[in-house]
Amino acid sequence: MAVAQDHRRKGGVTGASPLQAAVVEQIVASLPELEGSRAEQIVLAMPGRTRRVVHDHLSAHPDALVSGSSLAPPAVQRLIQTLVDVGVDRVQAPACHRCRRVRPLTNAVEDGRVCAGCFGAMVYAAAVGVCEECARTRPLPAQGLCSACYGRGRSKRASKTTCEECGHKRVCQRSRTDGRLLCDTCRPRRSVVCALCSNSAPAQARWPVGPVCELCYARVRNNPSPCSACGVKRALIGRNGSEPICGPCAGADIDYVCKRCAAPADSAASLCDRCALPDETAAFFGILPAAPREQLQPLADRLRQAESVGAARSWLKQSDAARLLAEMAACGAPVTHEALDAVCLQVGRDQVVTNLRDTLVDAGVLPPRDEHLTVVERRFVRLIAKHPEFADHLRAYGYGSVLPRLRQRERPATEYVVGWAIARMSAAIQLLAWARTRGLALDQVTQDHVDQWLAEGPSTRHNVRDFMVWASENRRAQRVLVPHRKKPAPVGMRASTHWGTLQRCLRDATLPLEVRVAGAIVLFYGQQVSRVVALPRTAVRQRGEDTSLLLGETPVPVPTPLARLIAELTRPGSNDEPGTSAATAWLFPHPRNHTRHQSAASLTDHLNAYGIDIKSGRATALMNAALDASVDELSAKLGIHRITAAEWKRRAGKARTTPPTAPPHRTAAVRPRVPAQSRP
């Protein structure tokens, strides 16, 4: 006060209004180290309304500039920042009344002011009601919807772009740091020092002990211990000196304890996964009409009994397949394969429909079916719709020639069949488009035109042979000659390499079991991977101590080391995944749906990852088999066409003059050759 009186004796603010002089006196009284002339300059720079707010607040709270009280209005906060900028060290910026962090305090609440983040959290927690979408009692942040339903609606309305980090098409925002378009998952969060491990990482939660990283958050939550203060077994998220304590003892209303079974809960004041799953399952299926709800009862039972409870809850709450199922069942019609096929024609929903179909088949809601021919039909529909100008030829060729031949196959369809059909339809479209650019109809295409088209493009254009043969037979095109596509001669392995790889599959226990069995079948019998994955368990025949494998019309004997591996692979529980059906008809079942077999691409990646060269290994196996067997035997035992068997027999005859030499100690190993005579 003496400094203020001395300032008044010196004349105060020259030519200043009484309000300006009063504010200067209040600042100098609170900060004696600040020169009066400097305070005058700061006050003179203030707008008149700001001076009035500062004067009124400093009159009620004289220590507002040094106390750090959250009651300071924005005008006083700006004054404090100005004082900091001019070098006044004793001023104290106000901290948020709720989180105690120094931030701009924009919103007044009872007993102080809070930052924008805390104000939003308080509004969110206060607006509790019944969601108009899911009918559950939850906080309602906007438009009468809970955050989950509002977010789903917002994601549907918002335009999606490709995230520059993960490549997924999602709702993205431009990053403030580098300007890239990033989705919510990839957008970086500010790092803080974890209060438990002292590592710098984004904060997963802010507990009484301080901010914690994701690893410490999961570790503390999933490993409750007795509290040193109350003795109750809880997640210890606070600290009393050096002793860890639970949330209630630390003054927080958080205990992370399930309200039903006292197990660790997945969130504050909630239930554990096992207790929450039945409620969420009932809520998901309970709002469906009666007919679909009854049809989907096996799926509901499967979810309630799932071994992986977290995965089941995630499927219900977050998966696109669950949302699609709810949309389809909401109309009251039963969910069928045909209904899923209709949805599959929509752009971008193939994978979602496939996942949903796998789930429904695995749960027993839908019967299993061969999806390969369905995939071909669906691709044909899209190709014809994309090229309506060729629809007449394409529809007649696809549905009158290609599909009937696929349906008449004696052997079940494989992924190779799908690729074969699509390649021929695509080649036909390319030729028709090329002819159209030159003003030619299909019946005007001559041999010279075909030769020119084949010469200008890759060798895959020779796949058009099938289309041109069909077109000429049906008088849609002139008779032209399209040579078969030239394929490079198969190159086999060296005998020692083939032998070593085969022995590695049979005896190396560090390899995955399915890799060992699949690799041995390829190296023994020269089978394509697309046929290996499609082998049913019934193809393994057992007669006494002898094991055989049905690859064609006649079973082939299986050596004892491979027979032991196959027996281990087919033993119940050997390849079951948590939460999936244990019953399977396949030797290599799909990891998520045991009613389907693995994809050939997936098994090929596994074999390549462990250094098993499929092409050269298969070529060597077929060459070895052709040395000892006739064409008819080769076709019957290995399930290959007689023309293919004759070609391998011809190649083996050329190579007979230089047979592969046997490695040392051959008597102790297995001969990598199919015997000429099989014993059933």
Side-chain angles (χ1 to χ4, degrees), residues 413-568:
T414 63
E415 295 177 51
Y416 170 80
V417 171
V418 177
W420 177 90
I422 301 304
R424 273 137 190 84
M425 181 68 84
S426 300
I429 293 173
Q430 293 174 16
L431 177 61
L432 291 172
W434 180 87
R436 184 182 179 86
T437 60
R438 286 157 178 78
L440 300 174
L442 179 59
D443 57 359
Q444 297 174 326
V445 175
T446 65
Q447 183 69 53
D448 292 338
H449 293 137
V450 172
D451 292 342
Q452 179 185 354
W453 181 72
L454 293 175
E456 291 175 352
S459 62
T460 53
R461 289 189 173 184
H462 288 262
N463 291 327
V464 82
R465 171 187 171 85
D466 187 74
F467 172 72
M468 293 305 295
V469 169
W470 167 85
S472 61
E473 290 177 351
N474 289 270
R475 299 182 180 180
R476 291 174 177 260
Q478 303 178 26
R479 187 172 297 276
V480 297
L481 176 62
V482 179
H484 287 282
R485 181 183 178 186
K486 294 182 179 180
K487 298 180 180 179
V491 178
M493 291 180 174
R494 294 176 60 90
S496 57
T497 304
H498 182 260
W499 182 262
T501 307
L502 179 58
Q503 293 304 309
R504 181 165 167 252
C505 291
L506 295 176
R507 309 193 186 282
D508 189 353
T510 61
L511 296 179
L513 182 59
E514 65 174 17
V515 170
R516 299 175 66 186
V517 174
I521 292 176
V522 171
L523 296 171
F524 259 123
Y525 307 110
Q527 296 295 294
Q528 293 176 332
V529 177
S530 60
R531 295 195 60 201
V532 172
V533 296
L535 285 174
R537 294 196 174 194
T538 54
V540 181
R541 308 289 179 85
Q542 194 73 33
R543 187 173 182 179
E545 296 183 356
D546 297 332
T547 303
S548 60
L549 191 62
L550 186 62
L551 301 173
E553 298 176 358
T554 306
V556 292
V558 177
T560 302
L562 178 56
R564 284 197 294 264
L565 294 178
I566 294 177
E568 185 179 354

Side-chain angles (χ1 to χ4, degrees), residues 162-215:
T162 301
C163 175
E164 297 182 12
E165 178 68 23
C166 64
H168 291 97
K169 201 171 184 64
R170 295 171 175 170
V171 179
C172 300
Q173 296 181 4
R174 199 163 294 280
S175 173
R176 297 180 180 177
T177 55
D178 53 12
R180 295 189 300 163
L181 283 173
L182 301 177
C183 63
D184 290 339
T185 304
C186 300
R187 191 177 302 114
R189 293 179 292 168
R190 187 178 62 180
S191 296
V192 297
V193 177
C194 177
L196 297 179
C197 65
S198 300
N199 291 327
S200 182
Q204 182 71 15
R206 295 185 182 274
W207 285 339
V209 72
V212 292
C213 64
E214 183 178 3
L215 294 178

Side-chain angles (χ1 to χ4, degrees), residues 282-298:
F284 181 86
F285 292 96
I287 61 176
L288 301 180
R293 184 170 65 247
E294 183 178 355
Q295 179 196 11
L296 297 173
Q297 188 60 41

Side-chain angles (χ1 to χ4, degrees), residues 133-158:
E133 182 72 20
C134 63
R136 285 180 282 187
T137 301
R138 288 182 170 183
L140 308 178
Q143 302 178 9
L145 302 176
C146 65
S147 58
C149 296
Y150 180 76
R152 283 195 292 267
R154 181 183 178 188
S155 63
K156 292 178 182 178
R157 295 188 298 269

